[in-house]
Every structure is written in structure tokens, then in C-alpha cells.
């Protein structure tokens, strides 16, 4: 059966169950991420607002670690790193916005069972995960962002890599 020509190519591979499910999840999460990242890219956080937000978070966190003698030193490091991330929030949001758009393009190719979609998604996901690190450098906060998102990307990439045998070039 000949598929109609479109912007994503004229043929598609054998559709499996896992790839469409992951694509739908990517489209849903990507839509939310586009809105969030666009909001971050267009917002401007004043230093006073950033400090107030971080101080409130630190207050809540201190309740959980109040009995630890090293907590004060650790919280000071976290506070400083969080302030650096918030100061560069618009730049990080813009990078994540571009990466999310790339991931959505990759998901569209994956929907058509095209291998190129896997590579586009993976490259975009890596940029998204490490965007804070690219902008403010490596610290505890940016590593936490990268690891949390990296776990999700690893699971998606593993499943998609297994399904690549059903995809066409």
C-alpha cells in the first residue's frame, strides 16, 4: 500500500504498540513543556523575587533536615545554586523551548516509524536535560535536573531503541 506523500516522507515502517504510546506521551508532555518553557523564556524574575522564592523553599526544606548538623552548609550551597538558576531562567527556558520543539519533530517522525525521529528526539532530550548546566554550569541543582529527566529519557530511549528494527531510514 502506497502512503500519501507528506512532510515526513512517503513511507512508514511497521507500526508497533510501544512507539505510538510513547509518541502520544511525548506529544502530551511536549505540549505542556512548550507552554512552560515559553512562559519561562518570556518571564523576567527580579533578584528580589528569586531570593524570596528560594528562601521560602529553603524554609520548607530545613524542616526535613533540621536534625542534621551538615544541613546548614548544604542548604547554603543549594540556595546559591538555585539563585543562579533562577537568575538565568529566561535563557534556560529558551534553550528548553528549542529542545522541546526538536523533541516534538522527533516524535512526529517516530509516529511515522522513521529512525531519524529517534535521533532527533534523543539529541533534543539531551539538550533539554542539560540546558541548566549549559547556562549556569554544573552544580548540585543542575545535576539533579539532569538526572531526574535523564532517567525518563533513558527509559524512552531504551524502548525506542528496541523498536528501531521496525522503523525505516
Amino acid at each position: 500500500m502506497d502512503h500519501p506523500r507528506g512532510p515526513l516522507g512517503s513511507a512508514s515502517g511497521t507500526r508497533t504498540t510501544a512507539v505510538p504510546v510513547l509518541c502520544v506521551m511525548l506529544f502530551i508532555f511536549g505540549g505542556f513543556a512548550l507552554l512552560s518553557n515559553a512562559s519561562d523564556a518570556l518571564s523576567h524574575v527580579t533578584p528580589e523575587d528569586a531570593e524570596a522564592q528560594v528562601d521560602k523553599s529553603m524554609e520548607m526544606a530545613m524542616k526535613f533536615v533540621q536534625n542534621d548538623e551538615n544541613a546548614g552548609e548544604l542548604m547554603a550551597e543549594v540556595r546559591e545554586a538555585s539563585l543562579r538558576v533562577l537568575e538565568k531562567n529566561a535563557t534556560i527556558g529558551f534553550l528548553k523551548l528549542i529542545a522541546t520543539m526538536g523533541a516534538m519533530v522527533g516524535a512526529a517522525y517516530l509516529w511515522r516509524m522513521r529512525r531519524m525521529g529517534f535521533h532527533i528526539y534523543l539529541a533534543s532530550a539531551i539538550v533539554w536535560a542539560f540546558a541548566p548546566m549549559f547556562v549556569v554550569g554544573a552544580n548540585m541543582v543542575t545535576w539533579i535536573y539532569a538526572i531526574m529527566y535523564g532517567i525518563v529519557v533513558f527509559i524512552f530511549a531504551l524502548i525506542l531503541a528496541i523498536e528501531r528494527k521496525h522503523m525505516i531510514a
Side-chain angles (χ1 to χ4, degrees):
M1 177 176 167
D2 192 22
H3 296 282
R5 282 202 162 279
L8 301 179
S10 62
S12 64
T14 306
R15 190 171 301 265
T16 62
T17 304
V19 173
V21 169
L22 291 177
C23 286
V24 167
M25 290 172 66
L26 286 173
F27 289 134
I28 292 170
F29 296 142
F32 287 125
L34 281 174
L35 293 173
S36 174
N37 296 332
S39 172
D40 287 346
L42 297 174
S43 70
H44 174 70
V45 178
T46 64
E48 295 82 23
D49 290 341
E51 283 199 38
Q53 184 178 354
V54 169
D55 287 341
K56 186 174 181 180
S57 298
M58 291 297 108
E59 256 180 55
M60 292 188 312
M62 282 302 286
K63 291 178 185 174
F64 292 104
V65 293
Q66 61 191 357
N67 295 331
D68 188 357
E69 63 271 356
N70 298 326
E73 186 179 311
L74 177 65
M75 287 301 174
E77 289 179 33
V78 170
R79 182 183 188 283
E80 189 62 37
S82 297
L83 282 173
R84 284 199 314 261
V85 169
L86 279 175
E87 288 170 359
K88 301 290 185 175
N89 195 40
T91 307
I92 294 168
F94 181 74
L95 268 177
K96 285 184 171 186
L97 181 66
I98 299 299
T100 302
M101 286 189 246
M104 298 291 274
V105 169
Y109 277 104
L110 284 168
W111 184 261
R112 294 284 303 209
M113 299 300 290
R114 305 290 298 240
R115 283 189 194 122
M116 184 176 17
F118 173 74
H119 301 291
I120 293 171
Y121 164 72
L122 197 56
S124 298
I126 290 169
V127 170
W128 199 97
F130 289 99
M133 222 175 279
F134 295 151
V135 176
V136 297
N139 59 51
M140 184 175 16
V141 173
T142 58
W143 272 110
I144 289 171
Y145 288 149
I147 290 169
M148 286 175 23
Y149 187 66
I151 291 168
V152 174
V153 169
F154 178 75
I155 293 168
F156 273 50
L158 187 63
I159 295 168
L160 290 170
I162 292 168
E163 297 295 322
R164 283 186 64 211
K165 63 183 172 223
H166 300 291
M167 298 179 192
I168 60 172

